Amino acid sequence: MQNKRFDKVQFKKEVKDNVKVLYRKTIDEATPQQVFQAVAYAVKDVIIDNWLNTQETFKKEDPKTVYYMSMEFLMGRALGNNLINLTAYQEVKEALDEMGFDLNVIEDQEPDAALGNGGLGRLAACFLDSLATLGYSAYGCGIRYRYGMFKQEIRDGYQIEVPDNWLKNGNPFELRRPEYAKEVKFGGYVKVEHDPATGRNNFIQEGYQSVMAIPYDMPIVGYGNGVVNTLRIWDAEAIDTFQLDSFDKGDYKKAVEQENLAKNIVEVLYPNDNHYAGKELRLKQQYFFISASIQAAVAKYKKAHSDIHKLYEKVTFQMNDTHPTVAVAELMRILMDEEGLTWEEAWEVTTKTCAYTNHTIMAEALEKWPIELFSRLLPRIYQIIEEINRRFLIEINEKYPGNQEKVKKMAIIYDGQIKMAHMAIVGGYSVNGVARLHTEILEKQELKDFYEMMPEKFNNKTNGITQRRFLLHGNPLLADWVTAHIGKEWITDLSQIKKLELYADDKKAQAEFMNIKYQNKVRLAKYILEHNNIEIDPRSIFDVQVKRLHEYKRQLMNILHVMYLYNKIKEHPDMEFYPRTFIFGAKAAAGYKRAKLTIKLINSVADVINNDASIEGKLKVVFIEDYRVSNAEWIFAAADVSEQISTASKEASGTGNMKFMLNGAPTLGTMDGANVEIVEEVGEENAFIFGLSADEVINFEKNGGYDPNYYFNTDQEIRQVLMSLINGTFSNDTEMFRDIYDSLLNTNSSDRADTYFILADFKSYAQAQEKVEAAYRDEEKWARMAMLNVARSGKFTSDRTIQQYVDDIWHLDRVKVK
Ligand SMILES: *Cc1c(COP(=O)(O)O)cnc(C)c1O
């Protein structure tokens, strides 16, 4: 171990001192929250030494740095993860034990840093963990939202959104860095001045409003290697009035406006997953953190390098979806207007520095900004985008002379809108999808024209997850068991976990493995009893679907199937049925009506089923409130079945699927996203695959959809399930779930019926579920299957993903810290 170790005696003293200094209390008087703060500051002390040391090493060795630009970082809690990566978890646990505290309880005091919606934000967090662990120089760049993802409460079965005041007790791990503040300008107009000395036009923004972006740095600790990288999230503050230029001095109205601008910009995370709302404030957020981050990156580069033309040799900007893609134009602006480069020089640098990750093909998620809004808010940036577009159209015309169809499909500005994905593709050197199938769909369908014009830019990087959080921290029983069998190399080299295959047929190993799963189910059952007041049987099959609530993810199909099983058990009370607990966890975007109604439906079905004594507890349905990273860790550890049932072609990758696999839950899923690669690794016989293929879905869509009424009319079981949505079975108000019923059958709507092919896939889903039950009944078969899922999960570590980004896109230098 090269990093400074925890001295238990010293650590205990420090915790006591911290309680005294922070709260003027003795350790016995401190509340659990105060003990958490005291422990966190003691841990931060150690981290700071490593942090300084890492930055010192980076300064000396001058490695290339990736700036991972993302509107979202779904970090979860920091304390436990930092202790794990400092390899100090056990010692600190013991030290606290000796002081009479339980580390689990202390960890529980920390609010999740929920600066993200779901998969995209969690991916960013896993990437930071892997970058630090592999020893690469990296910054995460984002926004310090005052309010992160809302807390979800369930009242009377409905989702209620409660503000997430995550900073109310202070954030012990963050560091405010006002010395690196940057000014960000909005609005006004652009004045052009000809400079006779250089013969160039200078572009000067005037009449603007501005805010100060103040960085807060959070340490990202690598596993056992002394590396500490930085997540830099920006807060907004008003410019001090006395800093306004002389013309504005004493301009009270402007001062107030700037105060409000600053306050509003970082106020709250938009709670939409895979959905674009087109709000002006959202564009302000995007430009705010991108401008500040790029200014900071350029300033840092210039401290050590004199030639800005070679920026790309030391810096790369990875844009996590289209949200940060204004980076392309902002970098152009800085290079031309502030660094004095010509257009051609700036374009060369920009197109060697920026790279773009596509996360979805869902039409409603594509960002398009109206010219009117964009040019008013960002006049200089708009000018630059117009020029990028003008030059690109010339290129299109050179390659496809007179082809208006190509212009229409590929232009960056068209029909009064700016298409951010197109700008990212044109202005960057790499475009990647996030799973093999997803990248193929991009190349063959969604981005076909771009792929044909610039195939060299396109590549795939299948997503991954960090095993440090989702096994080592989240499932300590299984982690210890794995280490006991194959050693601890898997912690930093997950391919090693393949060695577990040797034990898949070993009866003793199977029994131990299943016992660990059982312990984890007991732990989750206790959590559910405490938080939901529902008693569940840890001997039942835990069948779990946790992810954002979205129609394409088809939680509706899952609950319809539960209703179908309920009907069967009621009609055939003596039929063989292995007890099953269906566990859901999902937040719906606050404005997404049908998603929220689906939550209500799940809870209404749960109410009826859980309270129907006649089914003798064979079926239980639980909706876990406030699904988030911290409770996710426990949920994955306890799952028997991983529900990954999206409409094929709609889920770009998924990462929840990988967390389940790593924790020994076989996938029940469609051939979508990374499920395809999971099945390829684990073997078809160790997963439960069903449903239409992506090609089949896409073909139906090209030909105007399909007719769900065929299934309704010809299948009496399906009809019975759908009728129970509107006949009072699950609500006294028979109109309660009418919208869901209509959405499936399109009785009076202009949308296509059953857009997500639920009825088309229903029977094949039900059959796959029967296979799950049969497999679970055979204990040895199940243990083997579950263990093989763990053993063959090696590909899905984010360490592998990051190494591929480094090899193919970023070309970073690996650094060793002493
Ligand atoms: C992994 C994760 C997700 C993404 O789940 P998918 O099933 O891939 O959509 C969302 N939220 C949290 C809290 C996660 O940990």
Side-chain angles (χ1 to χ4, degrees), residues 74 118-119 122 546-547 553 627-629 632 644 654-656 659:
L74 192 49
R122 184 54 232 176
V546 287
K547 48 181 75 254
K553 293 176 183 281
Y627 174 58
R628 61 192 187 279
V629 175
Q644 307 301 335
T655 49
K659 302 167 197 167

Side-chain angles (χ1 to χ4, degrees), residues 167-388:
L167 292 167
K168 82 171 168 241
N169 293 312
N171 176 3
F173 289 108
E174 73 184 10
L175 217 59
R176 186 171 186 268
R177 317 290 307 274
E179 65 273 34
Y180 297 112
K182 300 281 179 259
E183 183 179 6
V184 180
K185 299 172 180 176
F186 295 97
Y189 53 92
V190 180
K191 202 172 84 183
V192 187
E193 270 178 3
H194 187 74
D195 183 346
T198 61
R200 288 179 48 147
N201 286 330
N202 292 329
F203 296 84
I204 302 150
Q205 197 172 347
E206 291 191 342
Y208 56 84
Q209 291 183 20
S210 61
V211 297
M212 285 310 271
I214 314 282
Y216 283 70
D217 288 355
M218 309 242 278
I220 304 296
V221 179
Y223 182 84
N225 63 357
V227 173
V228 180
N229 277 330
T230 303
L231 167 59
R232 173 162 283 183
I233 50 180
W234 298 88
D235 187 23
E237 286 181 14
I239 308 258
D240 285 340
T241 322
F242 61 80
Q243 281 183 5
L244 295 175
D245 59 43
S246 59
F247 175 78
D248 288 318
K249 244 186 204 138
D251 187 340
Y252 180 72
K253 183 167 164 276
K254 181 164 181 177
V256 171
E257 280 170 3
Q258 298 200 139
E259 187 95 40
N260 285 333
L261 177 63
K263 228 198 218 135
N264 291 335
I265 275 185
V266 296
E267 184 69 6
V268 65
L269 164 75
Y270 279 92
N272 299 325
D273 190 65
N274 271 304
H275 183 82
Y276 156 76
K279 292 284 193 294
E280 179 166 347
L281 181 58
R282 170 80 169 186
L283 183 57
K284 280 185 190 164
Q285 290 183 335
Q286 295 181 350
Y287 183 67
F288 166 76
F289 94 98
I290 286 303
S291 179
S293 300
I294 295 187
Q295 287 183 56
V298 168
K300 191 174 166 74
Y301 171 82
K302 283 173 67 181
K303 262 194 189 168
H305 308 89
S306 52
D307 189 0
I308 193 73
H309 295 87
K310 293 188 171 162
L311 180 73
Y312 58 86
E313 288 183 358
K314 291 294 173 186
V315 168
T316 188
F317 297 139
Q318 188 67 37
M319 302 179 286
N320 197 23
D321 211 329
T322 52
H323 322 144
T325 53
V326 70
V328 169
E330 174 65 1
L331 181 56
M332 286 295 289
R333 183 191 70 79
I334 291 172
L335 292 174
M336 293 188 299
D337 296 0
E338 292 177 15
E339 301 300 326
L341 268 55
T342 64
W343 179 279
E344 287 73 18
E345 290 170 329
W347 187 245
E348 159 128 11
V349 175
T350 298
T351 52
K352 286 179 169 176
T353 305
C354 297
Y356 161 62
T357 303
N358 176 287
H359 281 270
T360 181
I361 62 161
M362 305 262 299
E364 67 264 35
L366 294 182
E367 287 192 301
K368 304 175 226 161
W369 295 104
I371 287 177
E372 183 280 318
L373 185 163
F374 199 103
S375 60
R376 176 167 47 78
L377 191 67
L378 306 171
R380 177 62 182 138
I381 295 298
Y382 178 69
Q383 280 184 341
I384 291 169
I385 295 176
E386 270 203 323
E387 180 62 12
I388 295 174

Side-chain angles (χ1 to χ4, degrees), residues 418-684:
I418 305 168
K419 299 178 176 177
M420 301 306 277
H422 296 189
M423 185 169 69
I425 297 167
V426 174
Y429 66 96
S430 166
V431 180
N432 77 280
V434 290
R436 193 208 302 143
L437 174 68
H438 169 61
T439 301
E440 283 169 8
I441 293 173
L442 291 180
E443 292 175 353
K444 291 195 193 120
Q445 322 263 349
E446 307 302 313
L447 300 177
K448 182 163 180 276
D449 298 295
F450 288 97
Y451 178 63
E452 282 172 2
M453 192 166 168
M454 38 191 113
E456 70 289 347
K457 287 189 186 180
F458 283 72
N459 63 95
N460 174 247
K461 295 287 165 284
T462 298
N463 284 166
I465 56 160
T466 169
Q467 67 269 31
R468 268 85 58 187
R469 182 178 289 266
F470 291 108
L471 182 52
L472 188 54
H473 183 258
N475 193 346
L477 295 178
L478 185 58
D480 286 347
W481 182 84
V482 172
T483 297
H485 285 78
I486 63 166
K488 61 182 170 48
E489 283 69 38
W490 64 271
I491 298 170
T492 50
D493 175 10
L494 196 63
S495 70
Q496 297 291 323
I497 208 158
K498 196 153 202 71
K499 292 180 181 161
L500 281 179
E501 277 191 17
L502 277 175
Y503 299 92
D505 291 305
D506 177 330
K507 299 282 173 297
K508 178 166 165 282
Q510 288 180 349
E512 289 167 358
F513 182 90
M514 291 308 285
N515 182 255
I516 287 168
K517 182 59 81 180
Y518 181 77
Q519 301 299 324
N520 286 325
K521 288 163 79 175
V522 169
R523 181 175 74 162
L524 184 63
K526 231 176 104 190
Y527 177 93
I528 288 171
L529 183 62
E530 275 167 25
H531 291 79
N532 299 61
N533 201 24
I534 297 175
E535 219 169 313
I536 58 174
D537 184 349
R539 290 165 304 180
S540 65
I541 301 171
F542 279 17
D543 181 312
V544 186
Q545 186 175 21
V546 287
K547 48 181 75 254
R548 284 300 294 259
L549 202 310
H550 204 296
E551 284 169 280
Y552 84 79
K553 293 176 183 281
R554 298 200 293 193
Q555 282 94 353
L556 178 57
M557 185 167 75
N558 186 343
I559 197 66
L560 291 174
H561 174 256
V562 173
M563 290 154 64
Y564 159 90
L565 288 179
Y566 180 58
N567 291 341
K568 277 196 139 175
I569 296 171
K570 296 280 279 183
E571 277 166 33
H572 312 284
D574 297 328
M575 95 179 177
E576 293 260 299
F577 188 81
Y578 203 100
R580 187 93 71 121
T581 304
F582 288 93
I583 297 171
F584 293 83
K587 291 179 187 177
Y592 191 171
K593 289 231 174 77
R594 190 169 292 158
K596 292 173 92 167
L597 187 59
T598 305
I599 291 177
K600 174 63 175 169
L601 175 63
I602 293 168
N603 283 310
S604 299
V605 172
D607 263 354
V608 170
I609 290 181
N610 296 344
N611 295 306
D612 184 342
S614 79
I615 62 166
E616 299 168 329
K618 285 175 186 159
L619 264 186
K620 280 273 167 83
V621 180
V622 178
F623 189 96
I624 295 181
E625 213 171 54
D626 203 32
Y627 174 58
R628 61 192 187 279
V629 175
S630 55
N631 61 19
E633 293 178 31
W634 288 33
I635 294 168
F636 298 125
D640 291 312
V641 179
S642 165
E643 296 258 7
Q644 307 301 335
I645 60 178
S646 55
T647 309
S649 78
K650 304 295 179 194
E651 187 75 272
S653 164
T655 49
N657 46 6
M658 302 167 186
K659 302 167 197 167
F660 280 104
M661 182 191 196
L662 178 66
N663 282 275
T667 301
L668 165 57
T670 49
M671 277 300 210
D672 199 17
N675 296 355
V676 175
E677 291 160 77
I678 286 177
V679 172
E680 183 174 285
E681 294 295 305
V682 80
E684 246 179 287

